[in-house]
């Protein structure tokens, strides 16, 4: 009996050929609304769509979901756990792209480039009005010490900055001067010149950046979010920026996406908004399929995953 690998996106023929060469028991199917699918034979999915849940979780054929993104908070994790469905993610693929994005913004902020852009638009030559500092002088707190956080920490070390890290338990991680548990996030943020969020979204991290958090940051500090939008209480952040409780925010993800045109964040001068682009990665298919193929080979023989397996009870 042929088993199906159902994919939410298209992949190049070379990768589909590799799948079929690894095992001719599985057939790759790209999903669209016109596709006729025998849902009872879907054993693996690449990606996930909300409308699949009722069809795939009603029977026992689904064994493994390979998520395309690093974040898996939108997936039905409780049902996956109940039915012993394996889950892996795309963690690590976006690490260099997000690191490049953040390093660019950090240098733009420290060298006053954002102000220079505004002065150019106003045709004002005001060198004394351009703020500047050394990135290596800044205390940077990275909330999230996984693959992205580690790549960023490595880059910051190269530029003479040793960041402090936040993770679940406070365990030590290479590249970080110190690490602290999540429960010490606010205490450590009080010392930071810049807080960067790369945390996964869990019940513990949902709206963890709230009015209490922003009230405890330095008024001269900045906040960067390339993690998950719902980690931030948008109303609280907007008010903190409006009242200058913090100096600046660079935001790539939001509670509601696209960010509504009437959202007040658009009009604040101390905000940079990018439309969820920090993780856009050249050669994505090649990097993603390297993870999938390694897992697929092992799954066929041992029903186990070797890369990026997610603990569905924890969400990461």
């Amino acid at each position: 009996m042929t088993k199906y690998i159902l994919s939410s996106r298209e992949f190049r023929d070379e990768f589909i050929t590799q799948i079929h060469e690894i095992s001719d028991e599985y057939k790759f199917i790209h999903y669209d609304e016109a596709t006729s699918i025998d849902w009872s034979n879907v054993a693996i999915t690449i990606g996930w769509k909300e409308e699949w849940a009722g069809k795939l979780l009603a029977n026992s054929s689904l064994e493994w979901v390979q998520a395309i993104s690093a974040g898996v908070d939108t997936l039905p994790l409780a049902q996956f756990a109940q039915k012993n469905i394996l889950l892996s993610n795309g963690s690590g693929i976006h690490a260099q792209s997000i690191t490049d994005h953040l390093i660019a913004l950090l240098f733009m902020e420290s060298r006053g480039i954002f102000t220079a852009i505004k002065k150019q638009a106003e045709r004002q030559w005001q060198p004394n009005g351009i703020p500047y500092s050394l990135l290596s002088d800044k205390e940077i707190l990275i909330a999230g010490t996984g693959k992205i956080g580690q790549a960023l920490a490595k880059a910051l070390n190269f530029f003479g900055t040793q960041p402090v890290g936040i993770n679940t338990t406070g365990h030590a991680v290479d590249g970080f001067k110190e690490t602290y548990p999540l429960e010490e996030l606010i205490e450590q943020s009080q010392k930071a010149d810049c807080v960067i969020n790369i945390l996964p979204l869990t019940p513990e991290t949902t709206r963890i950046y709230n009015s209490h958090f922003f009230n405890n940051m330095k008024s001269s500090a900045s906040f960067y979010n390339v993690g998950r939008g719902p980690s931030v209480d948008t109303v609280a952040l907007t008010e903190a920026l409006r009242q200058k409780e913090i100096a600046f925010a660079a935001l790539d993800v939001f509670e509601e996406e696209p960010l509504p045109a009437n959202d007040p964040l658009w009009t604040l001068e101390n905000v940079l908004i990018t439309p969820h682009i920090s993780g856009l990665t050249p050669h994505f298919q090649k990097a993603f399929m390297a993870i999938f193929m390694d897992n697929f080979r092992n799954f066929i023989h041992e029903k186990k995953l070797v890369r990026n397996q997610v603990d569905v009870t924890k969400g990461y």
Side-chain angles (χ1 to χ4, degrees):
M1 180 183 68
T2 300
K3 299 177 182 179
Y4 296 137
I5 300 172
L6 181 63
S7 177
S8 62
R9 61 171 291 170
E10 293 185 274
F11 287 91
R12 295 195 296 272
D13 288 345
E14 62 186 279
F15 299 119
I16 298 171
T17 298
Q18 287 180 40
I19 289 171
H20 294 156
E21 286 175 349
I22 292 171
S23 175
D24 58 9
E25 291 184 55
Y26 291 83
K27 180 180 179 181
F28 178 94
I29 300 176
H30 169 237
Y31 174 83
D32 63 50
E33 293 182 357
T35 305
S36 177
I37 299 170
D38 182 351
W39 294 93
S40 64
N41 287 335
V42 175
I44 300 168
T45 73
I46 298 176
W48 186 263
K49 288 183 177 292
E50 187 176 351
E51 61 263 32
W52 293 356
K55 296 166 181 149
L56 289 178
L57 298 176
N59 57 56
S60 59
S61 64
L62 182 63
E63 298 178 83
W64 165 34
V65 172
Q66 170 67 63
I68 292 174
S69 63
V72 296
D73 48 275
T74 60
L75 277 61
L77 301 183
Q79 290 172 282
F80 287 178
Q82 183 181 13
K83 294 182 175 293
N84 295 317
I85 295 169
L86 297 173
L87 175 63
S88 49
N89 64 13
S91 176
I93 293 175
H94 312 285
Q96 190 59 55
S97 294
I98 294 177
T99 294
D100 289 358
H101 180 92
L102 288 167
I103 291 293
L105 297 184
L106 287 165
F107 272 119
M108 287 182 73
E109 184 186 359
S110 66
R111 295 306 305 170
I113 304 302
F114 295 125
T115 303
I117 291 170
K118 293 175 184 176
K119 295 301 180 184
Q120 179 181 344
E122 298 165 358
R123 302 187 182 189
Q124 293 186 17
W125 182 277
Q126 295 181 340
N128 293 332
I130 305 295
Y132 62 91
S133 61
L134 290 175
L135 184 61
S136 57
D137 285 343
K138 292 183 178 293
E139 289 289 333
I140 297 179
L141 179 67
I142 301 175
T145 62
K147 293 179 181 177
I148 297 171
Q150 290 170 42
L152 177 60
K154 181 180 179 181
L156 287 171
N157 274 271
F158 177 81
F159 291 113
T161 302
Q162 271 197 303
V164 173
I166 294 287
N167 54 40
T168 306
T169 64
H171 59 274
V173 179
D174 287 345
F176 290 88
K177 177 172 60 177
E178 299 166 336
T179 50
Y180 296 90
L182 187 61
E183 62 198 36
E184 293 190 36
L185 174 64
I186 289 180
E187 179 181 345
Q188 296 306 316
S189 69
Q190 293 172 333
K191 311 171 189 177
D193 298 305
C194 179
V195 177
I196 300 173
N197 177 53
I198 320 178
L199 289 169
L201 188 66
T202 66
E204 291 73 30
T205 63
T206 298
R207 293 200 168 188
I208 194 171
Y209 301 103
N210 50 32
S211 57
H212 181 56
F213 173 84
F214 294 118
N215 287 340
N216 278 277
M217 284 181 67
K218 294 180 182 179
S219 60
S220 59
S222 56
F223 176 74
Y224 287 31
N225 190 17
V226 293
R228 307 300 286 174
S231 292
V232 177
D233 182 333
T234 305
V235 173
L237 173 59
T238 302
E239 190 62 18
L241 289 161
R242 184 181 284 130
Q243 298 299 326
K244 305 296 175 61
E245 293 174 356
I246 63 172
F248 174 74
L251 308 172
D252 189 57
V253 292
F254 302 86
E255 285 189 284
E256 181 180 356
E257 294 187 7
L259 186 66
N262 63 350
D263 193 290
L265 281 172
W266 288 109
T267 63
L268 297 180
E269 291 188 354
N270 52 349
V271 176
L272 176 74
I273 292 171
T274 52
H276 207 145
I277 61 170
S278 65
L280 296 183
T281 302
H283 317 300
F284 169 82
Q285 288 200 19
K286 182 178 180 180
F288 176 82
M289 274 298 176
I291 295 172
F292 177 79
M293 296 300 182
D294 285 348
N295 278 335
F296 186 46
R297 291 185 186 93
N298 207 67
F299 174 81
I300 289 171
H301 298 296
E302 300 185 33
K303 297 296 182 181
K304 295 180 180 178
L305 306 179
V306 292
R307 295 185 62 181
N308 292 5
Q309 182 164 354
V310 174
D311 184 334
V312 292
T313 64
K314 294 180 178 178
Y316 57 90

